[in-house]
Amino acid sequence: ARKLRRTLSNSGLYRFLSPLEPETIAAISNLDPALGGKIRKFRRMKKILPIVTGSDLLRTGLKPGPVYRSALRRLFYLQLDGKFRKKGPALKNPRK
């Protein structure tokens, strides 16, 4: 719960909570009701679909592999943090 209180960005919150089981997330919320807002925000983020898909990256010429997966993950985190809202800006250079 301490680490979760310090998590400020949407992507940080998502990275922290997404590997946890729903029961664990519920237990954290029950142990520290002050974290309820962050838990609710995470549950809303879980419903967000990535703007950039694997097909989009293939069209840029990026080949499937570790860099490909990393680029998809990074782009999704940037999306969650509000860095872009459309594919165009996100696909300018997906390798960075």
Side-chain angles (χ1 to χ4, degrees):
R2 243 176 292 152
K3 187 173 181 180
L4 185 56
R5 266 189 239 107
R6 290 180 288 190
T7 304
L8 300 177
S9 70
N10 286 345
S11 62
L13 180 63
Y14 189 89
R15 283 191 300 260
F16 183 81
L17 291 175
S18 62
L20 302 179
E21 296 293 328
E23 297 82 13
T24 304
I25 295 170
I28 291 171
S29 184
N30 289 335
L31 289 173
D32 191 343
L35 294 174
K38 287 191 175 195
I39 301 293
R40 285 188 297 279
K41 181 188 271 190
F42 168 71
R43 288 184 176 138
R44 285 191 305 271
M45 283 190 290
K46 292 267 303 176
K47 297 175 184 176
I48 295 173
L49 297 175
I51 292 171
V52 178
T53 65
S55 298
D56 298 321
L57 288 186
L58 283 174
R59 283 192 290 277
T60 69
L62 192 59
K63 302 289 183 230
V67 172
Y68 183 85
R69 284 189 299 277
S70 177
L72 275 175
R73 189 171 34 254
R74 246 188 340 264
L75 287 166
F76 185 61
Y77 294 155
L78 288 170
Q79 175 187 338
L80 290 177
D81 289 336
K83 302 295 183 187
F84 65 87
R85 294 178 191 262
K86 296 180 181 180
K87 282 185 191 191
L91 291 174
K92 283 186 180 176
N93 192 346
R95 293 177 178 107
K96 284 191 176 183

PDB file of all heavy atoms in Angstrom, residues 1-22 24-29 32 35 38-39 42 45-46 73 77 80:
ATOM      1  N   ALA A   1       0.826  -1.190   0.000  1.00  0.00           N
ATOM      2  CA  ALA A   1       0.000   0.000   0.000  1.00  0.00           C
ATOM      3  C   ALA A   1       0.871   1.255   0.000  1.00  0.00           C
ATOM      4  O   ALA A   1       0.524   2.247  -0.624  1.00  0.00           O
ATOM      5  CB  ALA A   1      -0.939  -0.006   1.190  1.00  0.00           C
ATOM      6  N   ARG A   2       2.024   1.194   0.683  1.00  0.00           N
ATOM      7  CA  ARG A   2       2.915   2.358   0.727  1.00  0.00           C
ATOM      8  C   ARG A   2       3.397   2.746  -0.663  1.00  0.00           C
ATOM      9  O   ARG A   2       3.386   3.913  -1.040  1.00  0.00           O
ATOM     10  CB  ARG A   2       4.130   2.048   1.609  1.00  0.00           C
ATOM     11  CG  ARG A   2       4.225   2.915   2.815  1.00  0.00           C
ATOM     12  CD  ARG A   2       5.372   2.499   3.675  1.00  0.00           C
ATOM     13  NE  ARG A   2       5.009   1.190   4.214  1.00  0.00           N
ATOM     14  CZ  ARG A   2       5.852   0.251   4.567  1.00  0.00           C
ATOM     15  NH1 ARG A   2       7.124   0.448   4.493  1.00  0.00           N
ATOM     16  NH2 ARG A   2       5.441  -0.896   5.034  1.00  0.00           N
ATOM     17  N   LYS A   3       3.828   1.753  -1.415  1.00  0.00           N
ATOM     18  CA  LYS A   3       4.327   2.018  -2.768  1.00  0.00           C
ATOM     19  C   LYS A   3       3.202   2.544  -3.663  1.00  0.00           C
ATOM     20  O   LYS A   3       3.416   3.431  -4.480  1.00  0.00           O
ATOM     21  CB  LYS A   3       4.939   0.752  -3.363  1.00  0.00           C
ATOM     22  CG  LYS A   3       5.616   0.991  -4.677  1.00  0.00           C
ATOM     23  CD  LYS A   3       6.353  -0.229  -5.164  1.00  0.00           C
ATOM     24  CE  LYS A   3       7.041   0.077  -6.470  1.00  0.00           C
ATOM     25  NZ  LYS A   3       7.760  -1.057  -6.993  1.00  0.00           N
ATOM     26  N   LEU A   4       2.033   2.013  -3.503  1.00  0.00           N
ATOM     27  CA  LEU A   4       0.878   2.449  -4.301  1.00  0.00           C
ATOM     28  C   LEU A   4       0.528   3.911  -3.999  1.00  0.00           C
ATOM     29  O   LEU A   4       0.175   4.657  -4.894  1.00  0.00           O
ATOM     30  CB  LEU A   4      -0.313   1.539  -4.038  1.00  0.00           C
ATOM     31  CG  LEU A   4      -1.560   1.779  -4.859  1.00  0.00           C
ATOM     32  CD1 LEU A   4      -1.254   1.711  -6.354  1.00  0.00           C
ATOM     33  CD2 LEU A   4      -2.626   0.756  -4.505  1.00  0.00           C
ATOM     34  N   ARG A   5       0.676   4.332  -2.746  1.00  0.00           N
ATOM     35  CA  ARG A   5       0.406   5.728  -2.390  1.00  0.00           C
ATOM     36  C   ARG A   5       1.351   6.673  -3.120  1.00  0.00           C
ATOM     37  O   ARG A   5       0.987   7.776  -3.474  1.00  0.00           O
ATOM     38  CB  ARG A   5       0.556   5.925  -0.875  1.00  0.00           C
ATOM     39  CG  ARG A   5      -0.734   5.782  -0.152  1.00  0.00           C
ATOM     40  CD  ARG A   5      -0.598   6.194   1.308  1.00  0.00           C
ATOM     41  NE  ARG A   5      -0.970   5.036   2.110  1.00  0.00           N
ATOM     42  CZ  ARG A   5      -0.140   4.267   2.800  1.00  0.00           C
ATOM     43  NH1 ARG A   5       1.132   4.545   2.865  1.00  0.00           N
ATOM     44  NH2 ARG A   5      -0.582   3.224   3.461  1.00  0.00           N
ATOM     45  N   ARG A   6       2.590   6.230  -3.374  1.00  0.00           N
ATOM     46  CA  ARG A   6       3.586   7.078  -4.034  1.00  0.00           C
ATOM     47  C   ARG A   6       3.453   7.074  -5.549  1.00  0.00           C
ATOM     48  O   ARG A   6       4.044   7.901  -6.220  1.00  0.00           O
ATOM     49  CB  ARG A   6       4.993   6.627  -3.663  1.00  0.00           C
ATOM     50  CG  ARG A   6       5.334   6.935  -2.218  1.00  0.00           C
ATOM     51  CD  ARG A   6       6.710   6.463  -1.937  1.00  0.00           C
ATOM     52  NE  ARG A   6       6.637   4.999  -1.909  1.00  0.00           N
ATOM     53  CZ  ARG A   6       7.589   4.206  -1.512  1.00  0.00           C
ATOM     54  NH1 ARG A   6       8.729   4.688  -1.139  1.00  0.00           N
ATOM     55  NH2 ARG A   6       7.425   2.900  -1.491  1.00  0.00           N
ATOM     56  N   THR A   7       2.727   6.120  -6.103  1.00  0.00           N
ATOM     57  CA  THR A   7       2.575   6.024  -7.551  1.00  0.00           C
ATOM     58  C   THR A   7       1.695   7.169  -8.036  1.00  0.00           C
ATOM     59  O   THR A   7       0.541   7.276  -7.663  1.00  0.00           O
ATOM     60  CB  THR A   7       1.938   4.668  -7.932  1.00  0.00           C
ATOM     61  OG1 THR A   7       2.743   3.626  -7.396  1.00  0.00           O
ATOM     62  CG2 THR A   7       1.840   4.502  -9.428  1.00  0.00           C
ATOM     63  N   LEU A   8       2.283   8.032  -8.891  1.00  0.00           N
ATOM     64  CA  LEU A   8       1.572   9.227  -9.319  1.00  0.00           C
ATOM     65  C   LEU A   8       1.027   9.141 -10.736  1.00  0.00           C
ATOM     66  O   LEU A   8      -0.062   9.604 -11.009  1.00  0.00           O
ATOM     67  CB  LEU A   8       2.493  10.449  -9.205  1.00  0.00           C
ATOM     68  CG  LEU A   8       3.015  10.738  -7.800  1.00  0.00           C
ATOM     69  CD1 LEU A   8       3.973  11.914  -7.843  1.00  0.00           C
ATOM     70  CD2 LEU A   8       1.875  11.027  -6.854  1.00  0.00           C
ATOM     71  N   SER A   9       1.781   8.576 -11.656  1.00  0.00           N
ATOM     72  CA  SER A   9       1.338   8.556 -13.054  1.00  0.00           C
ATOM     73  C   SER A   9       0.327   7.438 -13.292  1.00  0.00           C
ATOM     74  O   SER A   9       0.304   6.434 -12.576  1.00  0.00           O
ATOM     75  CB  SER A   9       2.530   8.370 -13.994  1.00  0.00           C
ATOM     76  OG  SER A   9       3.056   7.062 -13.877  1.00  0.00           O
ATOM     77  N   ASN A  10      -0.487   7.625 -14.307  1.00  0.00           N
ATOM     78  CA  ASN A  10      -1.440   6.577 -14.681  1.00  0.00           C
ATOM     79  C   ASN A  10      -0.704   5.312 -15.081  1.00  0.00           C
ATOM     80  O   ASN A  10      -1.095   4.212 -14.689  1.00  0.00           O
ATOM     81  CB  ASN A  10      -2.329   7.047 -15.826  1.00  0.00           C
ATOM     82  CG  ASN A  10      -3.356   8.051 -15.383  1.00  0.00           C
ATOM     83  OD1 ASN A  10      -3.610   8.213 -14.196  1.00  0.00           O
ATOM     84  ND2 ASN A  10      -3.943   8.752 -16.326  1.00  0.00           N
ATOM     85  N   SER A  11       0.364   5.460 -15.869  1.00  0.00           N
ATOM     86  CA  SER A  11       1.095   4.271 -16.317  1.00  0.00           C
ATOM     87  C   SER A  11       1.762   3.567 -15.136  1.00  0.00           C
ATOM     88  O   SER A  11       1.811   2.342 -15.092  1.00  0.00           O
ATOM     89  CB  SER A  11       2.128   4.633 -17.382  1.00  0.00           C
ATOM     90  OG  SER A  11       3.100   5.525 -16.874  1.00  0.00           O
ATOM     91  N   GLY A  12       2.256   4.322 -14.168  1.00  0.00           N
ATOM     92  CA  GLY A  12       2.852   3.720 -12.978  1.00  0.00           C
ATOM     93  C   GLY A  12       1.826   2.932 -12.182  1.00  0.00           C
ATOM     94  O   GLY A  12       2.098   1.830 -11.710  1.00  0.00           O
ATOM     95  N   LEU A  13       0.655   3.502 -12.056  1.00  0.00           N
ATOM     96  CA  LEU A  13      -0.442   2.830 -11.372  1.00  0.00           C
ATOM     97  C   LEU A  13      -0.815   1.536 -12.104  1.00  0.00           C
ATOM     98  O   LEU A  13      -0.966   0.476 -11.493  1.00  0.00           O
ATOM     99  CB  LEU A  13      -1.644   3.764 -11.290  1.00  0.00           C
ATOM    100  CG  LEU A  13      -2.904   3.254 -10.609  1.00  0.00           C
ATOM    101  CD1 LEU A  13      -2.643   2.961  -9.143  1.00  0.00           C
ATOM    102  CD2 LEU A  13      -4.015   4.283 -10.747  1.00  0.00           C
ATOM    103  N   TYR A  14      -0.913   1.624 -13.418  1.00  0.00           N
ATOM    104  CA  TYR A  14      -1.274   0.461 -14.231  1.00  0.00           C
ATOM    105  C   TYR A  14      -0.201  -0.630 -14.112  1.00  0.00           C
ATOM    106  O   TYR A  14      -0.512  -1.801 -13.917  1.00  0.00           O
ATOM    107  CB  TYR A  14      -1.449   0.885 -15.689  1.00  0.00           C
ATOM    108  CG  TYR A  14      -2.031  -0.189 -16.562  1.00  0.00           C
ATOM    109  CD1 TYR A  14      -3.405  -0.317 -16.708  1.00  0.00           C
ATOM    110  CD2 TYR A  14      -1.217  -1.095 -17.233  1.00  0.00           C
ATOM    111  CE1 TYR A  14      -3.950  -1.309 -17.498  1.00  0.00           C
ATOM    112  CE2 TYR A  14      -1.748  -2.081 -18.028  1.00  0.00           C
ATOM    113  CZ  TYR A  14      -3.112  -2.192 -18.161  1.00  0.00           C
ATOM    114  OH  TYR A  14      -3.649  -3.186 -18.940  1.00  0.00           O
ATOM    115  N   ARG A  15       1.070  -0.220 -14.223  1.00  0.00           N
ATOM    116  CA  ARG A  15       2.173  -1.203 -14.125  1.00  0.00           C
ATOM    117  C   ARG A  15       2.193  -1.871 -12.763  1.00  0.00           C
ATOM    118  O   ARG A  15       2.494  -3.056 -12.649  1.00  0.00           O
ATOM    119  CB  ARG A  15       3.517  -0.532 -14.400  1.00  0.00           C
ATOM    120  CG  ARG A  15       3.786  -0.276 -15.838  1.00  0.00           C
ATOM    121  CD  ARG A  15       5.234   0.130 -16.076  1.00  0.00           C
ATOM    122  NE  ARG A  15       5.597   1.338 -15.362  1.00  0.00           N
ATOM    123  CZ  ARG A  15       5.648   2.543 -15.906  1.00  0.00           C
ATOM    124  NH1 ARG A  15       5.350   2.707 -17.171  1.00  0.00           N
ATOM    125  NH2 ARG A  15       6.007   3.578 -15.188  1.00  0.00           N
ATOM    126  N   PHE A  16       1.890  -1.115 -11.732  1.00  0.00           N
ATOM    127  CA  PHE A  16       1.927  -1.666 -10.375  1.00  0.00           C
ATOM    128  C   PHE A  16       0.795  -2.650 -10.124  1.00  0.00           C
ATOM    129  O   PHE A  16       1.000  -3.721  -9.554  1.00  0.00           O
ATOM    130  CB  PHE A  16       1.866  -0.518  -9.357  1.00  0.00           C
ATOM    131  CG  PHE A  16       1.981  -0.982  -7.941  1.00  0.00           C
ATOM    132  CD1 PHE A  16       3.220  -1.266  -7.392  1.00  0.00           C
ATOM    133  CD2 PHE A  16       0.853  -1.137  -7.154  1.00  0.00           C
ATOM    134  CE1 PHE A  16       3.328  -1.707  -6.075  1.00  0.00           C
ATOM    135  CE2 PHE A  16       0.948  -1.579  -5.839  1.00  0.00           C
ATOM    136  CZ  PHE A  16       2.190  -1.861  -5.299  1.00  0.00           C
ATOM    137  N   LEU A  17      -0.420  -2.300 -10.563  1.00  0.00           N
ATOM    138  CA  LEU A  17      -1.587  -3.117 -10.216  1.00  0.00           C
ATOM    139  C   LEU A  17      -1.927  -4.208 -11.227  1.00  0.00           C
ATOM    140  O   LEU A  17      -2.523  -5.213 -10.853  1.00  0.00           O
ATOM    141  CB  LEU A  17      -2.808  -2.215 -10.011  1.00  0.00           C
ATOM    142  CG  LEU A  17      -2.777  -1.324  -8.774  1.00  0.00           C
ATOM    143  CD1 LEU A  17      -3.976  -0.391  -8.756  1.00  0.00           C
ATOM    144  CD2 LEU A  17      -2.722  -2.146  -7.502  1.00  0.00           C
ATOM    145  N   SER A  18      -1.582  -4.036 -12.486  1.00  0.00           N
ATOM    146  CA  SER A  18      -2.036  -4.998 -13.496  1.00  0.00           C
ATOM    147  C   SER A  18      -1.564  -6.436 -13.280  1.00  0.00           C
ATOM    148  O   SER A  18      -2.307  -7.354 -13.612  1.00  0.00           O
ATOM    149  CB  SER A  18      -1.709  -4.523 -14.910  1.00  0.00           C
ATOM    150  OG  SER A  18      -0.337  -4.394 -15.097  1.00  0.00           O
ATOM    151  N   PRO A  19      -0.374  -6.680 -12.724  1.00  0.00           N
ATOM    152  CA  PRO A  19      -0.007  -8.092 -12.514  1.00  0.00           C
ATOM    153  C   PRO A  19      -0.713  -8.754 -11.322  1.00  0.00           C
ATOM    154  O   PRO A  19      -0.654  -9.972 -11.173  1.00  0.00           O
ATOM    155  CB  PRO A  19       1.501  -8.063 -12.274  1.00  0.00           C
ATOM    156  CG  PRO A  19       1.917  -6.651 -12.217  1.00  0.00           C
ATOM    157  CD  PRO A  19       0.740  -5.783 -12.492  1.00  0.00           C
ATOM    158  N   LEU A  20      -1.381  -7.945 -10.495  1.00  0.00           N
ATOM    159  CA  LEU A  20      -2.009  -8.485  -9.286  1.00  0.00           C
ATOM    160  C   LEU A  20      -3.368  -9.115  -9.583  1.00  0.00           C
ATOM    161  O   LEU A  20      -4.082  -8.683 -10.480  1.00  0.00           O
ATOM    162  CB  LEU A  20      -2.187  -7.371  -8.246  1.00  0.00           C
ATOM    163  CG  LEU A  20      -0.919  -6.641  -7.808  1.00  0.00           C
ATOM    164  CD1 LEU A  20      -1.273  -5.545  -6.803  1.00  0.00           C
ATOM    165  CD2 LEU A  20       0.102  -7.599  -7.223  1.00  0.00           C
ATOM    166  N   GLU A  21      -3.702 -10.095  -8.787  1.00  0.00           N
ATOM    167  CA  GLU A  21      -5.010 -10.744  -8.880  1.00  0.00           C
ATOM    168  C   GLU A  21      -6.083  -9.770  -8.365  1.00  0.00           C
ATOM    169  O   GLU A  21      -5.805  -8.955  -7.473  1.00  0.00           O
ATOM    170  CB  GLU A  21      -5.043 -12.018  -8.026  1.00  0.00           C
ATOM    171  CG  GLU A  21      -4.094 -13.095  -8.489  1.00  0.00           C
ATOM    172  CD  GLU A  21      -4.479 -13.671  -9.834  1.00  0.00           C
ATOM    173  OE1 GLU A  21      -5.686 -13.737 -10.135  1.00  0.00           O
ATOM    174  OE2 GLU A  21      -3.570 -14.050 -10.580  1.00  0.00           O
ATOM    175  N   PRO A  22      -7.306  -9.864  -8.900  1.00  0.00           N
ATOM    176  CA  PRO A  22      -8.390  -8.984  -8.429  1.00  0.00           C
ATOM    177  C   PRO A  22      -8.606  -9.061  -6.918  1.00  0.00           C
ATOM    178  O   PRO A  22      -8.905  -8.052  -6.276  1.00  0.00           O
ATOM    179  CB  PRO A  22      -9.614  -9.487  -9.193  1.00  0.00           C
ATOM    180  CG  PRO A  22      -9.060 -10.137 -10.413  1.00  0.00           C
ATOM    181  CD  PRO A  22      -7.733 -10.714 -10.002  1.00  0.00           C
ATOM    182  N   THR A  24      -6.344  -9.567  -4.651  1.00  0.00           N
ATOM    183  CA  THR A  24      -5.266  -8.819  -4.003  1.00  0.00           C
ATOM    184  C   THR A  24      -5.561  -7.323  -4.063  1.00  0.00           C
ATOM    185  O   THR A  24      -5.369  -6.598  -3.085  1.00  0.00           O
ATOM    186  CB  THR A  24      -3.911  -9.125  -4.678  1.00  0.00           C
ATOM    187  OG1 THR A  24      -3.687 -10.540  -4.648  1.00  0.00           O
ATOM    188  CG2 THR A  24      -2.770  -8.407  -3.983  1.00  0.00           C
ATOM    189  N   ILE A  25      -6.045  -6.868  -5.207  1.00  0.00           N
ATOM    190  CA  ILE A  25      -6.390  -5.454  -5.359  1.00  0.00           C
ATOM    191  C   ILE A  25      -7.518  -5.085  -4.404  1.00  0.00           C
ATOM    192  O   ILE A  25      -7.480  -4.032  -3.755  1.00  0.00           O
ATOM    193  CB  ILE A  25      -6.759  -5.154  -6.825  1.00  0.00           C
ATOM    194  CG1 ILE A  25      -5.526  -5.354  -7.706  1.00  0.00           C
ATOM    195  CG2 ILE A  25      -7.316  -3.744  -6.969  1.00  0.00           C
ATOM    196  CD1 ILE A  25      -5.801  -5.331  -9.193  1.00  0.00           C
ATOM    197  N   ALA A  26      -8.502  -5.955  -4.273  1.00  0.00           N
ATOM    198  CA  ALA A  26      -9.606  -5.710  -3.337  1.00  0.00           C
ATOM    199  C   ALA A  26      -9.085  -5.665  -1.903  1.00  0.00           C
ATOM    200  O   ALA A  26      -9.516  -4.822  -1.106  1.00  0.00           O
ATOM    201  CB  ALA A  26     -10.678  -6.780  -3.491  1.00  0.00           C
ATOM    202  N   ALA A  27      -8.147  -6.549  -1.576  1.00  0.00           N
ATOM    203  CA  ALA A  27      -7.585  -6.577  -0.224  1.00  0.00           C
ATOM    204  C   ALA A  27      -6.832  -5.285   0.072  1.00  0.00           C
ATOM    205  O   ALA A  27      -6.941  -4.728   1.175  1.00  0.00           O
ATOM    206  CB  ALA A  27      -6.663  -7.782  -0.061  1.00  0.00           C
ATOM    207  N   ILE A  28      -6.088  -4.778  -0.907  1.00  0.00           N
ATOM    208  CA  ILE A  28      -5.366  -3.513  -0.721  1.00  0.00           C
ATOM    209  C   ILE A  28      -6.369  -2.400  -0.449  1.00  0.00           C
ATOM    210  O   ILE A  28      -6.172  -1.578   0.447  1.00  0.00           O
ATOM    211  CB  ILE A  28      -4.508  -3.187  -1.969  1.00  0.00           C
ATOM    212  CG1 ILE A  28      -3.344  -4.162  -2.087  1.00  0.00           C
ATOM    213  CG2 ILE A  28      -3.997  -1.749  -1.917  1.00  0.00           C
ATOM    214  CD1 ILE A  28      -2.581  -4.064  -3.401  1.00  0.00           C
ATOM    215  N   SER A  29      -7.436  -2.379  -1.215  1.00  0.00           N
ATOM    216  CA  SER A  29      -8.464  -1.355  -1.045  1.00  0.00           C
ATOM    217  C   SER A  29      -9.109  -1.448   0.335  1.00  0.00           C
ATOM    218  O   SER A  29      -9.387  -0.432   0.975  1.00  0.00           O
ATOM    219  CB  SER A  29      -9.523  -1.497  -2.135  1.00  0.00           C
ATOM    220  OG  SER A  29     -10.462  -0.468  -2.053  1.00  0.00           O
ATOM    221  N   ASP A  32      -6.541  -0.238   3.057  1.00  0.00           N
ATOM    222  CA  ASP A  32      -6.290   1.201   3.048  1.00  0.00           C
ATOM    223  C   ASP A  32      -7.342   1.897   2.191  1.00  0.00           C
ATOM    224  O   ASP A  32      -7.137   2.125   0.997  1.00  0.00           O
ATOM    225  CB  ASP A  32      -4.887   1.481   2.508  1.00  0.00           C
ATOM    226  CG  ASP A  32      -4.451   2.915   2.712  1.00  0.00           C
ATOM    227  OD1 ASP A  32      -5.314   3.785   2.970  1.00  0.00           O
ATOM    228  OD2 ASP A  32      -3.244   3.173   2.611  1.00  0.00           O
ATOM    229  N   LEU A  35      -6.863   4.531  -0.600  1.00  0.00           N
ATOM    230  CA  LEU A  35      -6.404   4.170  -1.944  1.00  0.00           C
ATOM    231  C   LEU A  35      -7.561   3.855  -2.888  1.00  0.00           C
ATOM    232  O   LEU A  35      -7.334   3.513  -4.041  1.00  0.00           O
ATOM    233  CB  LEU A  35      -5.449   2.974  -1.879  1.00  0.00           C
ATOM    234  CG  LEU A  35      -4.130   3.239  -1.167  1.00  0.00           C
ATOM    235  CD1 LEU A  35      -3.336   1.952  -1.028  1.00  0.00           C
ATOM    236  CD2 LEU A  35      -3.326   4.286  -1.915  1.00  0.00           C
ATOM    237  N   LYS A  38      -7.458   5.482  -6.349  1.00  0.00           N
ATOM    238  CA  LYS A  38      -6.478   4.911  -7.274  1.00  0.00           C
ATOM    239  C   LYS A  38      -6.951   3.558  -7.805  1.00  0.00           C
ATOM    240  O   LYS A  38      -6.752   3.250  -8.969  1.00  0.00           O
ATOM    241  CB  LYS A  38      -5.114   4.775  -6.603  1.00  0.00           C
ATOM    242  CG  LYS A  38      -4.440   6.109  -6.420  1.00  0.00           C
ATOM    243  CD  LYS A  38      -3.005   5.952  -6.008  1.00  0.00           C
ATOM    244  CE  LYS A  38      -2.368   7.327  -5.959  1.00  0.00           C
ATOM    245  NZ  LYS A  38      -0.918   7.253  -5.925  1.00  0.00           N
ATOM    246  N   ILE A  39      -7.578   2.783  -6.963  1.00  0.00           N
ATOM    247  CA  ILE A  39      -8.102   1.478  -7.388  1.00  0.00           C
ATOM    248  C   ILE A  39      -9.200   1.682  -8.428  1.00  0.00           C
ATOM    249  O   ILE A  39      -9.229   0.997  -9.458  1.00  0.00           O
ATOM    250  CB  ILE A  39      -8.640   0.675  -6.182  1.00  0.00           C
ATOM    251  CG1 ILE A  39      -7.555   0.441  -5.135  1.00  0.00           C
ATOM    252  CG2 ILE A  39      -9.281  -0.626  -6.649  1.00  0.00           C
ATOM    253  CD1 ILE A  39      -6.416  -0.459  -5.517  1.00  0.00           C
ATOM    254  N   PHE A  42      -7.623   2.670 -11.692  1.00  0.00           N
ATOM    255  CA  PHE A  42      -7.023   1.501 -12.336  1.00  0.00           C
ATOM    256  C   PHE A  42      -8.095   0.648 -13.026  1.00  0.00           C
ATOM    257  O   PHE A  42      -7.908   0.213 -14.160  1.00  0.00           O
ATOM    258  CB  PHE A  42      -6.262   0.653 -11.318  1.00  0.00           C
ATOM    259  CG  PHE A  42      -5.867  -0.686 -11.843  1.00  0.00           C
ATOM    260  CD1 PHE A  42      -4.873  -0.815 -12.799  1.00  0.00           C
ATOM    261  CD2 PHE A  42      -6.507  -1.834 -11.404  1.00  0.00           C
ATOM    262  CE1 PHE A  42      -4.517  -2.061 -13.303  1.00  0.00           C
ATOM    263  CE2 PHE A  42      -6.162  -3.076 -11.897  1.00  0.00           C
ATOM    264  CZ  PHE A  42      -5.164  -3.190 -12.850  1.00  0.00           C
ATOM    265  N   MET A  45      -8.953   2.203 -16.210  1.00  0.00           N
ATOM    266  CA  MET A  45      -7.867   2.057 -17.188  1.00  0.00           C
ATOM    267  C   MET A  45      -7.821   0.653 -17.784  1.00  0.00           C
ATOM    268  O   MET A  45      -7.428   0.483 -18.932  1.00  0.00           O
ATOM    269  CB  MET A  45      -6.513   2.392 -16.550  1.00  0.00           C
ATOM    270  CG  MET A  45      -6.282   3.870 -16.389  1.00  0.00           C
ATOM    271  SD  MET A  45      -4.584   4.268 -15.910  1.00  0.00           S
ATOM    272  CE  MET A  45      -4.526   3.668 -14.235  1.00  0.00           C
ATOM    273  N   LYS A  46      -8.215  -0.349 -17.007  1.00  0.00           N
ATOM    274  CA  LYS A  46      -8.209  -1.729 -17.506  1.00  0.00           C
ATOM    275  C   LYS A  46      -9.145  -1.894 -18.698  1.00  0.00           C
ATOM    276  O   LYS A  46      -8.982  -2.812 -19.489  1.00  0.00           O
ATOM    277  CB  LYS A  46      -8.619  -2.715 -16.398  1.00  0.00           C
ATOM    278  CG  LYS A  46      -7.645  -2.860 -15.283  1.00  0.00           C
ATOM    279  CD  LYS A  46      -6.657  -3.961 -15.429  1.00  0.00           C
ATOM    280  CE  LYS A  46      -7.268  -5.308 -15.619  1.00  0.00           C
ATOM    281  NZ  LYS A  46      -6.288  -6.334 -15.842  1.00  0.00           N
ATOM    282  N   ARG A  73       4.124  -1.750 -25.582  1.00  0.00           N
ATOM    283  CA  ARG A  73       3.904  -1.497 -24.156  1.00  0.00           C
ATOM    284  C   ARG A  73       4.172  -0.022 -23.832  1.00  0.00           C
ATOM    285  O   ARG A  73       3.379   0.634 -23.168  1.00  0.00           O
ATOM    286  CB  ARG A  73       4.820  -2.413 -23.336  1.00  0.00           C
ATOM    287  CG  ARG A  73       4.559  -2.413 -21.865  1.00  0.00           C
ATOM    288  CD  ARG A  73       5.332  -3.479 -21.093  1.00  0.00           C
ATOM    289  NE  ARG A  73       6.651  -3.787 -21.595  1.00  0.00           N
ATOM    290  CZ  ARG A  73       6.965  -4.905 -22.262  1.00  0.00           C
ATOM    291  NH1 ARG A  73       6.050  -5.809 -22.495  1.00  0.00           N
ATOM    292  NH2 ARG A  73       8.191  -5.122 -22.680  1.00  0.00           N
ATOM    293  N   TYR A  77       1.560   2.866 -22.386  1.00  0.00           N
ATOM    294  CA  TYR A  77       1.800   3.641 -21.175  1.00  0.00           C
ATOM    295  C   TYR A  77       1.742   5.140 -21.467  1.00  0.00           C
ATOM    296  O   TYR A  77       1.194   5.912 -20.681  1.00  0.00           O
ATOM    297  CB  TYR A  77       3.135   3.282 -20.547  1.00  0.00           C
ATOM    298  CG  TYR A  77       3.213   1.868 -20.012  1.00  0.00           C
ATOM    299  CD1 TYR A  77       4.432   1.222 -19.897  1.00  0.00           C
ATOM    300  CD2 TYR A  77       2.072   1.163 -19.637  1.00  0.00           C
ATOM    301  CE1 TYR A  77       4.515  -0.075 -19.404  1.00  0.00           C
ATOM    302  CE2 TYR A  77       2.147  -0.136 -19.160  1.00  0.00           C
ATOM    303  CZ  TYR A  77       3.381  -0.747 -19.042  1.00  0.00           C
ATOM    304  OH  TYR A  77       3.449  -2.023 -18.566  1.00  0.00           O
ATOM    305  N   LEU A  80      -1.857   6.069 -21.712  1.00  0.00           N
ATOM    306  CA  LEU A  80      -2.484   6.175 -20.391  1.00  0.00           C
ATOM    307  C   LEU A  80      -2.115   7.487 -19.702  1.00  0.00           C
ATOM    308  O   LEU A  80      -2.920   8.064 -18.976  1.00  0.00           O
ATOM    309  CB  LEU A  80      -2.064   4.998 -19.500  1.00  0.00           C
ATOM    310  CG  LEU A  80      -2.606   3.626 -19.868  1.00  0.00           C
ATOM    311  CD1 LEU A  80      -2.037   2.565 -18.929  1.00  0.00           C
ATOM    312  CD2 LEU A  80      -4.122   3.599 -19.864  1.00  0.00           C
TER     313      LEU A  80
END
